Amino acid sequence: MDIFDNFSSNFKLLGELSPVVNFRFLLALAKDCGLIKRFRKIHPLIFIKAYLDATREGGRKPSIGAIWRKYNSIGVFSGSKPVSRSAVEKFIARENIAKFASEFIKELEEHLTAQSMSQSADAVKELQGLVKDLDDIIAQDGCEITVNPQAAAHAQNDDPNDQSFKTSVGGAGRKLHAGWSLLHSALFTASITSAVASERAEIRCDKMGNKLFIADAGYPSLDLFRELEENGAYFLIKMKNSLKPEVLRAQAFANDKYIDEVVEYNGERIKLNEDMRFKNKCSYDFIVRSRRKGKKDLIMRILKVYNPYYCGNDSTRDPDQSKDASDPSLNGYCYLATNIPAAKLDLAQIYATYRLRWSAEIGFKCLRSGNTLHSGKAVKKTTVDNLLKLSTMNHRIKTVIAAALQPLVKVRMSDLLVARESGSLVGLLLDKVCYCPNTLINNLTVKQFKDAIVDSYKRLGVSRVSKTNKSLGKGVSCTIEILSKPPAPSGGLPLVA
């Protein structure tokens, strides 16, 4: 039987994969995306299988040569003619390969069940109960990737002013800017630039309507805050402590409730980390105003959150025990800017929600450790970028399949374990659905195969939060616990001038 004669079975997942992982379907998709005009040498399905096989072991960084060898070894069983390494390299360098990968994933998502394996999805759902018009949380961050130094030399041979591979520390690199959907544990937006390009310029504000945008201290900008608000988005962004905003009013917060009366400051400019009117070791909720000529006034909250365990680089060290208590990075305060009203989320809930930003770091860790965010020895800019984009395709294939299996597995799976460990499992699934000559799986009935796959995925479950992290309020489960309660009463801080 032809290796690509797909089939449906009583293992639902194989039947759902069958229409997408299909020789003729992917050939038509590649033509529709402009990746190929007519089938000559490289076939898209064989290429996808070759790429996944070359990257199936966690942490492996495959070369173009490894993908080429896998392609030819798979091609032997499909009756496809061997191709040269240069043919594979030219295929990877094609402009529309990213569009093809994106459309392939879209089809995969439509055919598989609309489940989410994201642990942070539960936190998003809790937040939706408090902020009724919220669709999703988008955690934005960037990740610099080292590339072959010859890539920079190659680009500058064509154009001496080309800065595509410039980095702040020397060498050659690219940067992946990503907005991670915490509801779906997937890339919501992604772009690749030089490593020194503006991070703020890569934010797709036009796609953030009815979403909460979370970012760290590299992103704050009044213009960004305005643009997000104009596009109907909520924002929650970490600020530096050297703030001197125009304060309208403030209220203290301690022990999960607002204390004292609201104090009116009527637009006084106050340096929040130094003013003696604010109690030491106490959190504050401020309403501040930003004026811009020709623009509507921006009214937002700035939260000065006291946490004795928040100490810059060492988040478990109490600042009272610091050798240098004057060091501002060890003063136990975190500053956050948001446009979510206090009536919807109190100060403690905002701080707990900000911790979800760590999901973006985990996302990049998944790409690096299990999905080969790596461009090998490629020197052409399009080849470098396409290999990086293919790694995001690799990540999404794994998470979509894991999400589809989650109801059978009946455990919440770890993003990181799925990224690291599920490559060979995805390979076996594709081998089974494509009838690849694999003695191990062909000797198993569909039921035996299903049981083996489900048993393997059960081992990829999320670990419990440690006692230490639970005591510090870390972990998604801690955020869910805080968001499951209504906002603290007596928070009299409406977002008005």
Side-chain angles (χ1 to χ4, degrees), residues 116-125 127-128 134-140 178-189 211-215 236 352-363 396 412 415 476 479 483:
S116 173
M117 61 166 282
S118 168
Q119 188 183 11
S120 52
D122 292 342
V124 176
K125 289 169 185 173
L127 199 59
Q128 287 171 334
L134 186 71
D135 293 341
D136 199 351
I137 299 176
I138 307 300
Q140 182 86 15
W180 294 89
S181 163
L182 303 195
L183 185 60
H184 301 292
S185 186
L187 282 171
F188 178 70
T189 60
K211 295 174 178 61
L212 172 58
F213 177 85
I214 299 183
L236 176 52
T353 300
Y354 178 73
R355 291 195 185 104
L356 296 175
R357 194 204 67 81
W358 187 249
S359 297
E361 302 286 353
I362 293 174
R396 194 60 186 141
R412 176 55 57 83
D415 289 1
V476 175
T479 295
L483 293 176

Side-chain angles (χ1 to χ4, degrees), residues 265-335:
Y265 288 96
N266 303 312
E268 179 184 349
R269 286 204 170 273
I270 301 173
K271 197 155 188 181
L272 301 184
N273 67 329
E274 292 181 358
D275 199 290
M276 300 302 292
R277 288 172 285 184
F278 305 124
K279 299 174 187 175
N280 192 26
K281 298 186 179 181
C282 185
S283 298
Y284 281 87
D285 201 332
F286 299 95
I287 299 295
V288 305
R289 174 174 58 199
S290 169
R291 305 190 206 204
R292 181 67 59 87
K293 188 175 180 180
K295 297 274 188 179
K296 182 182 175 182
D297 287 355
L298 174 66
I299 310 296
M300 63 182 183
R301 294 165 73 189
I302 290 182
L303 310 179
K304 179 181 180 180
V305 186
Y306 176 70
N307 182 343
Y309 298 98
Y310 174 78
C311 308
N313 294 328
D314 187 350
S315 61
T316 60
R317 182 172 51 190
D318 191 323
D320 293 340
Q321 305 300 319
S322 171
K323 294 179 180 178
D324 183 8
S326 64
D327 184 344
S329 69
L330 301 175
N331 64 8
Y333 286 97
C334 176
Y335 295 81

